[in-house]
Amino acid sequence: MHKGSRIEQREQTRRILVREGRLLFASRGYGAVGLSQIVAAAGVTKGALYHHFESKADLFRTVLEQVQGEVAETVAATAEAQDDPWEQLAAGCRAFLAACTDPDIQQIMLIDGPAVLGWSEWRALDEAASARHLAEALSDLIEAGIIARQPVAPLTHLLSGAMNEAALWLAGSGDPGDLEDVWAALSRILQGLRLE
């Protein structure tokens, strides 16, 4: 076997473990999934899993990073499709809330994420994945004179916290109509930031 094909095989095994782990974590929740279920679904040995990940929590962290990255990409793409900076902020916030109504995303990103990794690590991953985009959008709005000049970091954390809390509430509510109520409330908060 060539060295290149061994590397490809290792990468394929890793991708399969992440894919199967993600499916199981999303459908059953982290606590209800054992390593034996993951390796059986992936068709590999526990040794193969431990070659790529130190533990179930380490695999979960990789899955969470993947989910957060996908949500951040959706939010950024939705925002960038708008020409107006204010509409970019609004579209991005709404896209985040909409993405968080997906039960798989809720289970991994909102329910198990903070519980498995702890609040501090979960927040750091969340910040790396999406808070940067929000900070950039707010900075652009300040530079354009649409929002009053102010420190961006506190405003970013306040809005990010409000949206994460709203997403957690949506995850527990189970009522599809609640998304519109949350969006209406968030829209009023955002409008309060506008100078004009």
PDB file of all heavy atoms in Angstrom, residues 9 27 47 51 56 59 63 65 75 77 86 91 96-97 101 105 110 117 129 140 155 165 175 180 185 192:
ATOM      1  N   GLN A   9      -6.815   6.701   3.289  1.00  0.00           N
ATOM      2  CA  GLN A   9      -7.656   5.772   4.040  1.00  0.00           C
ATOM      3  C   GLN A   9      -7.892   6.273   5.463  1.00  0.00           C
ATOM      4  O   GLN A   9      -9.006   6.202   5.982  1.00  0.00           O
ATOM      5  CB  GLN A   9      -7.026   4.377   4.069  1.00  0.00           C
ATOM      6  CG  GLN A   9      -7.926   3.341   4.711  1.00  0.00           C
ATOM      7  CD  GLN A   9      -7.336   1.946   4.651  1.00  0.00           C
ATOM      8  OE1 GLN A   9      -6.188   1.746   4.269  1.00  0.00           O
ATOM      9  NE2 GLN A   9      -8.132   0.969   5.037  1.00  0.00           N
ATOM     10  N   SER A  27     -29.453  12.268  16.543  1.00  0.00           N
ATOM     11  CA  SER A  27     -30.704  11.520  16.696  1.00  0.00           C
ATOM     12  C   SER A  27     -30.954  11.038  18.128  1.00  0.00           C
ATOM     13  O   SER A  27     -32.098  10.945  18.555  1.00  0.00           O
ATOM     14  CB  SER A  27     -30.742  10.326  15.738  1.00  0.00           C
ATOM     15  OG  SER A  27     -29.712   9.408  16.038  1.00  0.00           O
ATOM     16  N   GLY A  47      -9.985   0.812  18.223  1.00  0.00           N
ATOM     17  CA  GLY A  47      -8.607   1.268  18.016  1.00  0.00           C
ATOM     18  C   GLY A  47      -8.524   2.326  16.926  1.00  0.00           C
ATOM     19  O   GLY A  47      -7.776   3.300  17.056  1.00  0.00           O
ATOM     20  N   HIS A  51      -7.339   6.164  17.337  1.00  0.00           N
ATOM     21  CA  HIS A  51      -6.250   6.694  16.522  1.00  0.00           C
ATOM     22  C   HIS A  51      -6.539   8.149  16.131  1.00  0.00           C
ATOM     23  O   HIS A  51      -5.617   8.955  16.019  1.00  0.00           O
ATOM     24  CB  HIS A  51      -6.056   5.834  15.266  1.00  0.00           C
ATOM     25  CG  HIS A  51      -5.009   6.350  14.343  1.00  0.00           C
ATOM     26  ND1 HIS A  51      -3.659   6.215  14.603  1.00  0.00           N
ATOM     27  CD2 HIS A  51      -5.099   7.035  13.179  1.00  0.00           C
ATOM     28  CE1 HIS A  51      -2.965   6.781  13.628  1.00  0.00           C
ATOM     29  NE2 HIS A  51      -3.822   7.285  12.749  1.00  0.00           N
ATOM     30  N   LYS A  56     -14.825  10.044  23.315  1.00  0.00           N
ATOM     31  CA  LYS A  56     -16.109  10.378  22.715  1.00  0.00           C
ATOM     32  C   LYS A  56     -16.298  11.898  22.714  1.00  0.00           C
ATOM     33  O   LYS A  56     -16.795  12.473  21.749  1.00  0.00           O
ATOM     34  CB  LYS A  56     -17.244   9.683  23.482  1.00  0.00           C
ATOM     35  CG  LYS A  56     -18.621   9.928  22.882  1.00  0.00           C
ATOM     36  CD  LYS A  56     -19.712   9.093  23.549  1.00  0.00           C
ATOM     37  CE  LYS A  56     -20.204   9.727  24.802  1.00  0.00           C
ATOM     38  NZ  LYS A  56     -21.499   9.174  25.281  1.00  0.00           N
ATOM     39  N   LEU A  59     -14.422  13.432  19.820  1.00  0.00           N
ATOM     40  CA  LEU A  59     -15.179  13.259  18.576  1.00  0.00           C
ATOM     41  C   LEU A  59     -16.345  14.238  18.543  1.00  0.00           C
ATOM     42  O   LEU A  59     -16.600  14.884  17.524  1.00  0.00           O
ATOM     43  CB  LEU A  59     -15.686  11.819  18.444  1.00  0.00           C
ATOM     44  CG  LEU A  59     -16.672  11.542  17.301  1.00  0.00           C
ATOM     45  CD1 LEU A  59     -16.052  11.855  15.942  1.00  0.00           C
ATOM     46  CD2 LEU A  59     -17.145  10.093  17.355  1.00  0.00           C
ATOM     47  N   VAL A  63     -17.446  17.168  15.808  1.00  0.00           N
ATOM     48  CA  VAL A  63     -18.784  17.247  15.217  1.00  0.00           C
ATOM     49  C   VAL A  63     -19.383  18.638  15.476  1.00  0.00           C
ATOM     50  O   VAL A  63     -19.945  19.263  14.570  1.00  0.00           O
ATOM     51  CB  VAL A  63     -19.698  16.133  15.777  1.00  0.00           C
ATOM     52  CG1 VAL A  63     -21.161  16.371  15.408  1.00  0.00           C
ATOM     53  CG2 VAL A  63     -19.232  14.763  15.285  1.00  0.00           C
ATOM     54  N   GLU A  65     -17.829  21.461  16.062  1.00  0.00           N
ATOM     55  CA  GLU A  65     -17.134  22.460  15.239  1.00  0.00           C
ATOM     56  C   GLU A  65     -17.656  22.431  13.804  1.00  0.00           C
ATOM     57  O   GLU A  65     -17.820  23.480  13.170  1.00  0.00           O
ATOM     58  CB  GLU A  65     -15.625  22.214  15.260  1.00  0.00           C
ATOM     59  CG  GLU A  65     -14.974  22.579  16.573  1.00  0.00           C
ATOM     60  CD  GLU A  65     -13.506  22.163  16.639  1.00  0.00           C
ATOM     61  OE1 GLU A  65     -13.077  21.279  15.858  1.00  0.00           O
ATOM     62  OE2 GLU A  65     -12.785  22.727  17.471  1.00  0.00           O
ATOM     63  N   VAL A  75     -25.201  31.528   7.618  1.00  0.00           N
ATOM     64  CA  VAL A  75     -25.480  32.892   8.069  1.00  0.00           C
ATOM     65  C   VAL A  75     -24.722  33.893   7.210  1.00  0.00           C
ATOM     66  O   VAL A  75     -25.295  34.881   6.727  1.00  0.00           O
ATOM     67  CB  VAL A  75     -25.120  33.050   9.567  1.00  0.00           C
ATOM     68  CG1 VAL A  75     -25.107  34.507   9.984  1.00  0.00           C
ATOM     69  CG2 VAL A  75     -26.090  32.240  10.420  1.00  0.00           C
ATOM     70  N   ALA A  77     -23.436  33.524   4.157  1.00  0.00           N
ATOM     71  CA  ALA A  77     -23.921  33.528   2.770  1.00  0.00           C
ATOM     72  C   ALA A  77     -25.250  34.264   2.653  1.00  0.00           C
ATOM     73  O   ALA A  77     -25.471  35.025   1.698  1.00  0.00           O
ATOM     74  CB  ALA A  77     -24.064  32.097   2.256  1.00  0.00           C
ATOM     75  N   TRP A  86     -27.506  47.136   6.667  1.00  0.00           N
ATOM     76  CA  TRP A  86     -28.507  46.850   7.698  1.00  0.00           C
ATOM     77  C   TRP A  86     -29.246  45.547   7.378  1.00  0.00           C
ATOM     78  O   TRP A  86     -29.483  44.720   8.249  1.00  0.00           O
ATOM     79  CB  TRP A  86     -29.495  48.005   7.833  1.00  0.00           C
ATOM     80  CG  TRP A  86     -30.479  47.723   8.928  1.00  0.00           C
ATOM     81  CD1 TRP A  86     -31.752  47.254   8.794  1.00  0.00           C
ATOM     82  CD2 TRP A  86     -30.242  47.823  10.327  1.00  0.00           C
ATOM     83  NE1 TRP A  86     -32.324  47.056  10.020  1.00  0.00           N
ATOM     84  CE2 TRP A  86     -31.419  47.412  10.988  1.00  0.00           C
ATOM     85  CE3 TRP A  86     -29.153  48.223  11.097  1.00  0.00           C
ATOM     86  CZ2 TRP A  86     -31.532  47.385  12.374  1.00  0.00           C
ATOM     87  CZ3 TRP A  86     -29.276  48.196  12.475  1.00  0.00           C
ATOM     88  CH2 TRP A  86     -30.452  47.780  13.106  1.00  0.00           C
ATOM     89  N   ALA A  91     -30.667  39.877   7.935  1.00  0.00           N
ATOM     90  CA  ALA A  91     -30.755  38.576   7.248  1.00  0.00           C
ATOM     91  C   ALA A  91     -29.874  37.541   7.944  1.00  0.00           C
ATOM     92  O   ALA A  91     -30.268  36.378   8.094  1.00  0.00           O
ATOM     93  CB  ALA A  91     -30.350  38.724   5.785  1.00  0.00           C
ATOM     94  N   PHE A  96     -29.525  32.726  11.337  1.00  0.00           N
ATOM     95  CA  PHE A  96     -29.036  31.998  12.509  1.00  0.00           C
ATOM     96  C   PHE A  96     -30.192  31.376  13.276  1.00  0.00           C
ATOM     97  O   PHE A  96     -30.171  30.182  13.601  1.00  0.00           O
ATOM     98  CB  PHE A  96     -28.220  32.923  13.430  1.00  0.00           C
ATOM     99  CG  PHE A  96     -27.827  32.258  14.722  1.00  0.00           C
ATOM    100  CD1 PHE A  96     -26.762  31.381  14.768  1.00  0.00           C
ATOM    101  CD2 PHE A  96     -28.546  32.494  15.881  1.00  0.00           C
ATOM    102  CE1 PHE A  96     -26.414  30.741  15.958  1.00  0.00           C
ATOM    103  CE2 PHE A  96     -28.205  31.862  17.074  1.00  0.00           C
ATOM    104  CZ  PHE A  96     -27.132  30.988  17.113  1.00  0.00           C
ATOM    105  N   LEU A  97     -31.208  32.174  13.555  1.00  0.00           N
ATOM    106  CA  LEU A  97     -32.357  31.664  14.301  1.00  0.00           C
ATOM    107  C   LEU A  97     -33.054  30.541  13.540  1.00  0.00           C
ATOM    108  O   LEU A  97     -33.440  29.528  14.128  1.00  0.00           O
ATOM    109  CB  LEU A  97     -33.338  32.798  14.609  1.00  0.00           C
ATOM    110  CG  LEU A  97     -32.838  33.840  15.605  1.00  0.00           C
ATOM    111  CD1 LEU A  97     -33.824  34.997  15.702  1.00  0.00           C
ATOM    112  CD2 LEU A  97     -32.592  33.217  16.974  1.00  0.00           C
ATOM    113  N   THR A 101     -33.536  26.126  14.382  1.00  0.00           N
ATOM    114  CA  THR A 101     -34.790  25.399  14.571  1.00  0.00           C
ATOM    115  C   THR A 101     -34.669  23.965  14.065  1.00  0.00           C
ATOM    116  O   THR A 101     -35.562  23.157  14.305  1.00  0.00           O
ATOM    117  CB  THR A 101     -35.973  26.095  13.853  1.00  0.00           C
ATOM    118  OG1 THR A 101     -35.717  26.126  12.450  1.00  0.00           O
ATOM    119  CG2 THR A 101     -36.184  27.505  14.395  1.00  0.00           C
ATOM    120  N   ILE A 105     -29.399  20.281  14.636  1.00  0.00           N
ATOM    121  CA  ILE A 105     -28.529  21.380  15.060  1.00  0.00           C
ATOM    122  C   ILE A 105     -28.799  21.719  16.518  1.00  0.00           C
ATOM    123  O   ILE A 105     -27.870  21.932  17.296  1.00  0.00           O
ATOM    124  CB  ILE A 105     -28.708  22.599  14.127  1.00  0.00           C
ATOM    125  CG1 ILE A 105     -28.104  22.272  12.759  1.00  0.00           C
ATOM    126  CG2 ILE A 105     -28.086  23.858  14.730  1.00  0.00           C
ATOM    127  CD1 ILE A 105     -28.327  23.305  11.691  1.00  0.00           C
ATOM    128  N   LEU A 110     -26.863  23.259  20.622  1.00  0.00           N
ATOM    129  CA  LEU A 110     -27.465  24.019  21.716  1.00  0.00           C
ATOM    130  C   LEU A 110     -27.694  23.205  22.983  1.00  0.00           C
ATOM    131  O   LEU A 110     -27.562  23.731  24.081  1.00  0.00           O
ATOM    132  CB  LEU A 110     -28.802  24.614  21.252  1.00  0.00           C
ATOM    133  CG  LEU A 110     -28.708  25.532  20.036  1.00  0.00           C
ATOM    134  CD1 LEU A 110     -30.091  25.906  19.537  1.00  0.00           C
ATOM    135  CD2 LEU A 110     -27.901  26.772  20.362  1.00  0.00           C
ATOM    136  N   LEU A 117     -19.097  20.062  26.654  1.00  0.00           N
ATOM    137  CA  LEU A 117     -17.805  20.760  26.660  1.00  0.00           C
ATOM    138  C   LEU A 117     -17.662  21.762  27.793  1.00  0.00           C
ATOM    139  O   LEU A 117     -16.560  22.214  28.082  1.00  0.00           O
ATOM    140  CB  LEU A 117     -17.599  21.481  25.325  1.00  0.00           C
ATOM    141  CG  LEU A 117     -17.602  20.598  24.082  1.00  0.00           C
ATOM    142  CD1 LEU A 117     -17.336  21.430  22.844  1.00  0.00           C
ATOM    143  CD2 LEU A 117     -16.583  19.477  24.200  1.00  0.00           C
ATOM    144  N   ALA A 129     -16.690  30.490  15.530  1.00  0.00           N
ATOM    145  CA  ALA A 129     -17.494  30.133  14.362  1.00  0.00           C
ATOM    146  C   ALA A 129     -18.330  31.291  13.834  1.00  0.00           C
ATOM    147  O   ALA A 129     -18.390  31.519  12.631  1.00  0.00           O
ATOM    148  CB  ALA A 129     -18.412  28.958  14.697  1.00  0.00           C
ATOM    149  N   ASP A 140     -19.151  47.456  10.439  1.00  0.00           N
ATOM    150  CA  ASP A 140     -19.525  48.096   9.177  1.00  0.00           C
ATOM    151  C   ASP A 140     -20.677  49.085   9.385  1.00  0.00           C
ATOM    152  O   ASP A 140     -20.689  50.172   8.803  1.00  0.00           O
ATOM    153  CB  ASP A 140     -19.937  47.044   8.130  1.00  0.00           C
ATOM    154  CG  ASP A 140     -18.752  46.206   7.656  1.00  0.00           C
ATOM    155  OD1 ASP A 140     -17.588  46.586   7.918  1.00  0.00           O
ATOM    156  OD2 ASP A 140     -19.007  45.150   7.029  1.00  0.00           O
ATOM    157  N   LEU A 155     -21.202  44.982  22.395  1.00  0.00           N
ATOM    158  CA  LEU A 155     -22.422  44.885  21.601  1.00  0.00           C
ATOM    159  C   LEU A 155     -22.524  43.507  20.931  1.00  0.00           C
ATOM    160  O   LEU A 155     -23.594  42.890  20.906  1.00  0.00           O
ATOM    161  CB  LEU A 155     -22.464  46.004  20.554  1.00  0.00           C
ATOM    162  CG  LEU A 155     -23.720  46.085  19.693  1.00  0.00           C
ATOM    163  CD1 LEU A 155     -24.968  46.250  20.551  1.00  0.00           C
ATOM    164  CD2 LEU A 155     -23.590  47.249  18.703  1.00  0.00           C
ATOM    165  N   GLU A 165     -29.541  32.573  23.441  1.00  0.00           N
ATOM    166  CA  GLU A 165     -30.598  32.297  24.409  1.00  0.00           C
ATOM    167  C   GLU A 165     -31.932  32.082  23.703  1.00  0.00           C
ATOM    168  O   GLU A 165     -32.699  31.181  24.058  1.00  0.00           O
ATOM    169  CB  GLU A 165     -30.701  33.446  25.422  1.00  0.00           C
ATOM    170  CG  GLU A 165     -31.622  33.164  26.576  1.00  0.00           C
ATOM    171  CD  GLU A 165     -31.245  31.937  27.387  1.00  0.00           C
ATOM    172  OE1 GLU A 165     -30.044  31.658  27.540  1.00  0.00           O
ATOM    173  OE2 GLU A 165     -32.163  31.244  27.872  1.00  0.00           O
ATOM    174  N   ASP A 175     -42.750  24.779  19.276  1.00  0.00           N
ATOM    175  CA  ASP A 175     -43.816  25.428  18.509  1.00  0.00           C
ATOM    176  C   ASP A 175     -43.193  26.186  17.344  1.00  0.00           C
ATOM    177  O   ASP A 175     -42.479  27.165  17.554  1.00  0.00           O
ATOM    178  CB  ASP A 175     -44.597  26.380  19.411  1.00  0.00           C
ATOM    179  CG  ASP A 175     -45.761  27.052  18.698  1.00  0.00           C
ATOM    180  OD1 ASP A 175     -45.856  26.957  17.456  1.00  0.00           O
ATOM    181  OD2 ASP A 175     -46.586  27.679  19.392  1.00  0.00           O
ATOM    182  N   GLU A 180     -41.235  33.127  14.565  1.00  0.00           N
ATOM    183  CA  GLU A 180     -41.692  34.459  14.144  1.00  0.00           C
ATOM    184  C   GLU A 180     -41.769  35.418  15.328  1.00  0.00           C
ATOM    185  O   GLU A 180     -41.429  36.588  15.199  1.00  0.00           O
ATOM    186  CB  GLU A 180     -43.050  34.365  13.436  1.00  0.00           C
ATOM    187  CG  GLU A 180     -42.954  33.743  12.056  1.00  0.00           C
ATOM    188  CD  GLU A 180     -41.895  34.384  11.159  1.00  0.00           C
ATOM    189  OE1 GLU A 180     -41.826  35.630  11.069  1.00  0.00           O
ATOM    190  OE2 GLU A 180     -41.101  33.628  10.554  1.00  0.00           O
ATOM    191  N   ALA A 185     -39.320  40.067  18.140  1.00  0.00           N
ATOM    192  CA  ALA A 185     -38.693  40.677  19.313  1.00  0.00           C
ATOM    193  C   ALA A 185     -37.262  41.107  19.010  1.00  0.00           C
ATOM    194  O   ALA A 185     -36.838  42.217  19.374  1.00  0.00           O
ATOM    195  CB  ALA A 185     -38.726  39.693  20.485  1.00  0.00           C
ATOM    196  N   GLY A 192     -33.732  49.373  17.700  1.00  0.00           N
ATOM    197  CA  GLY A 192     -33.333  50.306  18.735  1.00  0.00           C
ATOM    198  C   GLY A 192     -31.890  50.761  18.616  1.00  0.00           C
ATOM    199  O   GLY A 192     -31.513  51.781  19.192  1.00  0.00           O
TER     200      GLY A 192
END
